[in-house]
Amino acid sequence: MKKIILFYGRGGANFFVHFYRVCAYLGAAIGQLRYMHFYRRQIIEQMYRIGIGSLSLIAGLSLFTGLATTLQTAYQIAAYVPKYIVGSIVFQSEMLELGPTLMALVLSGRVGAGIASEIGTMKVSEQVDALTSMGVDPVGYLVMPRILAGVTMFPIIIIFAVVVAVGGGHWAATTTMGVSSADFVRGMKEVFRAKDVWVGLIKATVYGGIITLIGSYLGMETEQGAKGVGMAATATVVWSSSFILIMDYVLTRTLLKFY
Amino acid sequence: MIEFKDVYKSFDDKHVLRGINLTVNEGELISILGPSGCGKSVTLKHIIGILQPDRGEVWVDGQFVPKLSRNGLQELRKRVGVLFQSAALFDSMSVKENVAFMLRMHTRMLETEIDKRVAECLAQVELRGVEELNPDELSGGMRKRVGLARAIAMKPNYILYDEPTTGLDPKTAIIIGDLIVRLQRQLNITSIVVTHDVKLATDISDRIALFHDGKVAAIGAPAEISQDGGQLIRQFMEGQL
Ligand SMILES: Nc1ncnc2c1ncn2[C@@H]1O[C@H](COP(=O)(O)OP(=O)(O)OP(=O)(O)O)[C@@H](O)[C@H]1O
Ligand SMILES: [Mg+2]
């Protein structure tokens, strides 16, 4: 029993140490924003890689979420509700939840683990020390551009994802369920509120920040060679997915309540 | 001139440096010998302000390194080239981009000037036509030489070599040794060479410093030190330190 308490106690203490240090990295990265001009090439490169690089994967996957959501909605509302309601449900659930959250979970693997292993490899092979020794701040050169790219590109990726998903839903609804195109659009228009778009975009921004920050932090803290790099990548996926789901609850609760 | 005055440094409860006193004169080539883990790399990191001493003073060109501002440190780091043990080439960049790295970050040189300077630096280390290769296409010795080309790109006044020949075959090691001497003579670069290679140190150095127990146990010209520190050097070579 005592062992169990000690184990969790130590785990908890470690958690707060890491949490504190993650915040310190975030602070340092924000401080580096002053030198944005100096690191402009890195920022553009990361925006391109994180943004454009994720588009084809996200397009494919969100098409399937759009199709599945439509079919499931049709099944759930069954006969009691007018069918044009499908359009509204598909749009809202994609914009508020599936678009940002599900895609962020996918991107925690593609983007987050990628960042952790890339920076981790540089760390264990002295490349990070080399940067410092050449008068270039690793946080400014490696971390800040990635976080900045994450918080700016994720909302764009998510808009794209929602458009593809709704397009897919539209296709499924009109071809297999006998909902007319006009009805689908009417359903969407009836529930459309600008607020939903904002909530989805705020979620996307926060998730983009979480993934790139955790990936960068664990990458910069990597030790013990190739094994450490693998561990950093795995830990990034675990921790960023956990925080995404926790923040999903927090944001849904606060943002939908206040208006 | 680089000066260490009574420098102490510990990590947690591990006392690595315990009163280092060392002066490296302008244009000198000094080697640091010492057993693994005695703080040689840690010492080098103090010179460019990657690590701060717990106690004592580190001076470079009359500047007190631990108190330098961000800009001051950046200016200092432009004057000090570092060759890492693993060469630490950026593996996402070509050889050319590696050598050009500081030129791009810290100068406003034009593309043609950069090309010219990169070719010059590679010629200094006797490499030609490798600009477009990636670091993973190079052999260990070539990587070290590219690392050296990168270190001299900004025409530094100092070069710090961390184990420049470790893991290389004897022939390549001799080539690197010659390079170090040539750079020091031709470009009048003050050099600190951390190494386990007693023969290399004896061949190339003006002076040798032997680290032991976090202090400079013996220091002097290669001929002197084999007398004064003879016992220690012998122990070091026989693996007893
Ligand atoms: N950043 C650090 N944090 C904690 N401990 C460190 C750090 N850097 C070095 N050390 C410790 O300081 C000691 C000296 O390290 P250093 O790398 O200077 O040894 P060295 O003399 O260069 O040895 P080698 O010849 O093996 O390279 C080691 O025991 C190392 O574990
Ligand atoms: Mg070392």
Side-chain angles (χ1 to χ4, degrees):
Chain A
M1 187 63 202
K2 197 175 157 207
K3 259 189 194 154
I4 294 173
I5 292 174
L6 269 182
F7 179 78
Y8 279 103
R10 204 168 297 139
N14 274 340
F15 177 81
F16 283 108
V17 170
H18 282 300
F19 191 75
Y20 170 78
R21 285 163 56 185
V22 168
C23 293
Y25 266 96
L26 182 60
I30 291 171
Q32 287 293 325
L33 283 176
R34 266 180 298 167
Y35 309 109
M36 256 171 81
H37 183 71
F38 189 64
Y39 299 115
R40 61 192 180 283
R41 293 165 114 241
Q42 282 66 48
I43 294 172
I44 292 167
E45 186 193 336
Q46 291 306 323
M47 285 184 166
Y48 184 83
R49 282 174 57 184
I50 291 177
I52 312 295
S54 305
L55 281 187
S56 55
L57 175 69
I58 292 303
L61 295 181
S62 54
L63 177 64
F64 282 103
T65 64
L67 294 175
T69 314
T70 307
L71 295 183
Q72 191 189 324
T73 308
Y75 169 77
Q76 282 177 327
I77 63 177
Y80 324 115
V81 186
K83 276 195 177 151
Y84 71 84
I85 248 4
V86 171
S88 71
I89 294 186
V90 170
F91 172 73
Q92 269 194 326
S93 43
E94 281 293 338
M95 190 71 236
L96 287 172
E97 184 65 27
L98 294 173
T101 310
L102 203 58
M103 292 307 128
L105 291 177
V106 172
L107 291 177
S108 73
R110 182 181 179 283
V111 173
I115 290 176
S117 53
E118 199 180 1
I119 298 186
T121 307
M122 294 186 70
K123 175 76 193 308
V124 298
S125 58
E126 290 185 301
Q127 292 175 54
V128 173
D129 275 343
L131 273 178
T132 316
S133 80
M134 293 195 273
V136 174
D137 187 318
V139 174
Y141 186 84
L142 296 173
V143 177
M144 182 270 281
R146 286 172 167 80
I147 297 180
L148 189 60
V151 295
T152 52
M153 297 316 283
F154 266 53
I156 296 173
I157 297 174
I158 295 316
I159 296 223
F160 178 73
V162 172
V163 169
V164 172
V166 170
H170 179 267
W171 179 79
T174 48
T175 53
T176 64
M177 288 163 51
V179 178
S180 77
S181 178
D183 275 351
F184 188 89
V185 175
R186 181 174 136 219
M188 270 172 58
K189 275 189 181 154
E190 225 158 67
V191 298
F192 181 86
R193 280 176 304 174
K195 179 189 168 191
D196 294 348
V197 178
W198 283 117
V199 172
L201 293 185
I202 291 174
K203 281 188 176 181
T205 307
V206 172
Y207 299 157
I210 289 177
I211 290 173
T212 47
L213 176 62
I214 293 183
S216 306
Y217 167 72
L218 292 172
M220 293 289 282
E221 297 291 308
T222 305
E223 264 153 28
Q224 303 170 1
K227 187 172 137 232
V229 174
M231 274 158 44
T234 315
T236 299
V237 174
V238 173
W239 282 107
S240 47
S241 332
S242 312
F243 274 103
I244 285 166
L245 293 177
I246 294 169
M247 284 310 288
D248 185 31
Y249 167 70
V250 174
L251 289 175
T252 306
R253 194 170 161 149
T254 50
L255 294 176
L256 288 186
K257 195 165 76 183
F258 294 114
Y259 188 56
Chain B
M1 193 163 83
I2 298 176
E3 276 181 288
F4 283 78
K5 289 187 187 160
D6 212 21
V7 171
Y8 284 75
K9 179 73 183 175
S10 8
F11 296 103
D12 300 324
D13 49 358
K14 194 161 172 193
H15 303 288
V16 180
L17 305 184
R18 311 169 182 222
I20 294 279
N21 283 295
L22 183 67
T23 304
V24 183
N25 298 311
E26 218 60 60
E28 189 180 26
L29 197 167
I30 193 164
S31 291
I32 298 179
L33 289 176
S36 203
C38 72
K40 304 183 298 292
S41 302
V42 168
T43 305
L44 291 189
K45 286 181 182 163
H46 278 80
I47 297 172
I48 47 173
I50 293 184
L51 292 174
Q52 314 280 332
D54 298 337
R55 241 171 74 196
E57 301 172 7
V58 182
W59 296 85
V60 178
D61 292 338
Q63 287 181 308
F64 187 64
V65 179
K67 285 269 148 61
L68 277 177
S69 65
R70 179 183 185 275
N71 283 335
L73 269 180
Q74 190 165 320
E75 289 307 314
L76 168 70
R77 287 167 181 166
K78 287 187 208 168
R79 295 200 309 273
V80 183
V82 183
L83 175 61
F84 286 84
Q85 180 171 350
S86 59
L89 300 180
F90 299 124
D91 45 27
S92 59
M93 298 178 197
S94 67
V95 166
K96 177 186 159 192
E97 288 308 312
N98 266 282
V99 178
F101 185 79
M102 287 182 90
L103 304 175
R104 284 202 201 288
M105 296 304 285
H106 298 305
T107 72
R108 292 178 188 279
M109 282 168 81
L110 299 173
E111 198 56 37
T112 48
E113 297 171 312
I114 289 183
D115 283 351
K116 195 161 147 269
R117 181 73 192 131
V118 168
E120 268 170 33
C121 294
L122 288 172
Q124 281 284 349
V125 298
E126 290 168 7
L127 286 174
R128 271 177 200 82
V130 295
E131 278 93 336
E132 298 311 322
L133 296 180
N134 278 327
D136 55 18
E137 296 172 280
L138 304 176
S139 70
M142 284 166 90
R143 295 171 66 96
K144 283 253 161 88
R145 283 193 268 171
V146 173
L148 197 44
R150 186 175 70 176
I152 60 176
M154 291 284 283
K155 306 192 173 158
N157 307 337
Y158 300 94
I159 301 184
L160 314 178
Y161 301 87
D162 198 347
E163 311 198 7
T165 59
T166 307
L168 299 183
D169 66 275
K171 197 171 144 228
T172 317
I174 290 172
I175 295 179
I176 299 265
D178 288 346
L179 263 173
I180 296 174
V181 174
R182 194 151 52 77
L183 287 174
Q184 184 228 0
R185 302 272 152 76
Q186 286 181 359
L187 308 176
N188 192 34
I189 296 173
T190 311
S191 317
I192 303 185
V193 182
V194 162
T195 182
H196 295 283
D197 186 341
V198 180
K199 185 177 171 321
L200 173 83
T202 322
D203 286 351
I204 67 173
S205 320
D206 297 321
R207 286 191 301 158
I208 295 177
L210 182 63
F211 276 35
H212 181 49
D213 254 353
K215 291 196 184 74
V216 178
I219 185 163
E224 287 166 36
I225 202 163
S226 48
Q227 289 168 5
D228 301 358
Q231 182 65 20
L232 276 169
I233 291 266
R234 218 168 300 121
Q235 281 181 335
F236 172 64
M237 286 181 76
E238 288 162 7
Q240 290 169 2
L241 278 189

